[in-house]
Amino acid sequence: MATEHFLDPCEALGVERYESLRNVLSESLRSASRTSDAIVNELSIAEFSENEFRELQFEHARTGEQWAYLRLTSGKYVAVDQVPHCLDPENTAAAVVFPAIHSRLVAWWLVHSWRIQEFIECAASSLLDDWNPSVSALSARGLLEQVGCLFYEVSIVEEAWREAKTFPSNNRESRIHARFNPLLFQLAFASRGLPTSGALRPATNAQTYVDKLARFTDDKRYHAWYNWLSNAAHPAVGSRIVYATQPLVHNHSRLMRRRFSRLPTSIRQNSDVDLTVVHNAADATVELYGISSHLLDFGLRIVDDFCLTTASANLTTGSSWRQLVPVRGNRLCPCGNGKWRSCGHRWGAAAPTLPKPRRES
């Protein structure tokens, strides 16, 4: 009688897949250190009427608080606190608009970064260390949706900033507020399944994210991964076969036997264990680590270009992660992409453009 054998993660995944997943987990943990202590105080500014503006002016004059106000082209007003005492009056409009938008862009980027890191680490460690394929499949599916969402949103932010850098100086701040305020509000308060009255807005369908990501990467595997991982995430066929062997069918085809166990077992080699979901979770996690790094790097370039072009760090007394201060001449740029002169952090210069990811040959 054959001896039952419980497979360890390396046997179940195969050496190459196991090592790739282990490397991704190690790299993800290292890269997470740059944002582990990041903090941003997101600043959202609401518009108010002229009567409300006069009341606020009176109140702030009475208390001695330092505020800046801007009358928009719509006739409404916006205002912010934490304004430098030595602020040049010519920079008042910029001080109202730019630090607030930058704080929201930083928060947008950090949420994507943190969620992607957590999904990668959970998907990988659930197979490598805990052998919990259901949790790995759930995490890999969440990772695929999150990376798809990042691509969808970074494309929208890229387009908005590309337009904004070409705006003429006349009423530039008001126009950028009008371009970014509803966009960032939509990204921050999109919801799925919740009532969309009040602050919440309908979210884009997750399948749309996956479809767009598959077209961007020219990789047909994304749809297959998503289908298998969705089946494993729901109480469907995928959630059952993670505990089953391949079916053994009698030669007259009228009798089938499957072995279910908490850990993957094999009475011969691992060829009789159904590892379809496990392999899909591992392969998707490895691939998505690469594309997510590509998208996050580009998204941060947009955030930094906004900060340095607008000089928003000089327009507020508040502090925030990634609050970069412009330099001049041939010095190294704070964005980390070369010399200041060549980085294009100025009005009228081209905004960063999302490159296609390089695929391994």
Side-chain angles (χ1 to χ4, degrees):
M1 184 174 178
T3 303
E4 184 174 72
H5 174 61
F6 288 93
L7 304 177
D8 64 34
C10 188
E11 289 177 294
L13 292 168
V15 174
E16 183 177 354
R17 185 179 277 115
Y18 177 89
E19 291 298 333
S20 295
L21 195 59
R22 179 65 71 185
N23 289 337
V24 159
L25 179 58
S26 298
E27 290 174 15
S28 179
L29 289 170
R30 281 197 300 271
S31 65
S33 62
R34 69 174 177 173
T35 60
S36 59
D37 59 351
I39 296 174
V40 58
N41 293 310
E42 185 186 59
L43 180 62
S44 297
I45 51 178
E47 299 175 9
F48 48 90
S49 68
E50 184 161 353
N51 287 338
E52 292 171 316
F53 162 64
R54 298 194 184 284
E55 291 174 3
L56 280 172
Q57 267 193 319
F58 177 79
E59 176 64 19
H60 296 154
R62 186 183 65 81
T63 60
E65 294 182 58
Q66 187 78 10
W67 282 68
Y69 312 90
L70 172 63
R71 188 177 190 273
L72 303 171
T73 53
S74 64
K76 298 278 190 176
Y77 288 82
V78 287
V80 295
D81 61 355
Q82 295 187 322
V83 180
H85 287 279
C86 58
L87 181 70
D88 188 324
E90 292 185 359
N91 291 329
T92 298
V96 174
V97 173
F98 296 148
I101 293 176
H102 178 250
S103 73
R104 295 166 74 185
L105 286 171
V106 170
W108 162 78
W109 187 91
L110 281 173
V111 169
H112 274 295
S113 178
W114 288 329
R115 281 177 61 83
I116 286 169
Q117 290 165 9
E118 289 163 5
F119 280 136
I120 288 172
E121 290 161 22
C122 188
S125 63
S126 292
L127 292 181
L128 297 171
D129 304 322
D130 305 324
W131 195 257
N132 198 331
S134 293
V135 171
S136 181
L138 281 162
S139 300
R141 180 178 183 263
L143 174 63
L144 180 46
E145 293 178 345
Q146 189 70 35
V147 177
C149 178
L150 173 61
F151 168 67
Y152 180 83
E153 292 184 358
V154 85
S155 302
I156 296 171
V157 173
E158 174 196 18
E159 179 183 6
W161 180 231
R162 185 171 59 248
E163 293 175 11
K165 285 193 80 172
T166 66
F167 288 165
S169 58
N170 185 37
N171 289 325
R172 177 186 286 148
E173 293 83 3
S174 183
R175 293 184 65 184
I176 290 178
H177 170 80
R179 184 68 176 87
F180 274 90
N181 195 50
L183 184 156
L184 294 174
F185 191 89
Q186 169 66 33
L187 300 187
F189 293 100
S191 71
R192 188 176 310 283
L194 298 176
T196 54
S197 58
L200 301 182
R201 300 289 184 269
T204 301
N205 189 282
Q207 184 67 57
T208 300
Y209 296 148
V210 176
D211 293 343
K212 290 183 179 293
L213 185 62
R215 285 196 294 271
F216 174 64
T217 57
D218 296 322
D219 196 331
K220 297 179 180 178
R221 293 177 298 171
Y222 282 89
H223 290 114
W225 285 333
Y226 193 58
N227 290 338
W228 270 112
L229 296 173
S230 293
N231 265 276
H234 296 295
V237 61
S239 66
R240 291 167 171 81
I241 67 173
V242 294
Y243 305 108
T245 62
Q246 296 281 11
L248 301 175
V249 182
H250 195 275
N251 55 16
H252 59 57
S253 303
R254 295 296 182 270
L255 181 65
M256 180 184 78
R257 180 177 284 109
R258 286 194 297 170
R259 174 75 177 274
F260 282 77
S261 63
R262 171 63 183 83
L263 298 174
T265 61
S266 174
I267 57 175
R268 297 190 298 273
Q269 300 296 322
N270 64 1
S271 58
D272 63 328
V273 183
D274 197 327
L275 295 166
T276 305
V277 170
V278 169
H279 290 174
N280 275 275
D283 294 343
T285 301
V286 170
E287 181 67 23
L288 287 163
Y289 172 75
I291 188 62
S292 66
S293 299
H294 178 77
L295 292 170
L296 286 169
D297 287 347
F298 175 74
L300 194 57
R301 286 190 63 196
I302 293 287
V303 174
D304 289 347
D305 191 36
F306 182 94
C307 182
L308 291 165
T309 299
T310 63
S312 64
N314 293 330
L315 301 172
T316 179
T317 59
S319 61
S320 174
W321 184 79
R322 213 63 188 180
Q323 199 168 27
L324 308 181
V325 177
V327 295
R328 290 290 178 267
N330 208 34
R331 299 199 300 189
L332 288 175
C333 183
C335 75
N337 291 306
K339 301 293 182 65
W340 169 266
R341 187 169 301 178
S342 62
C343 284
H345 305 307
R346 59 186 180 276
W347 298 112
T353 302
L354 178 61
K356 275 276 193 179
R358 288 179 295 185
R359 297 193 63 183
E360 299 293 332
S361 56

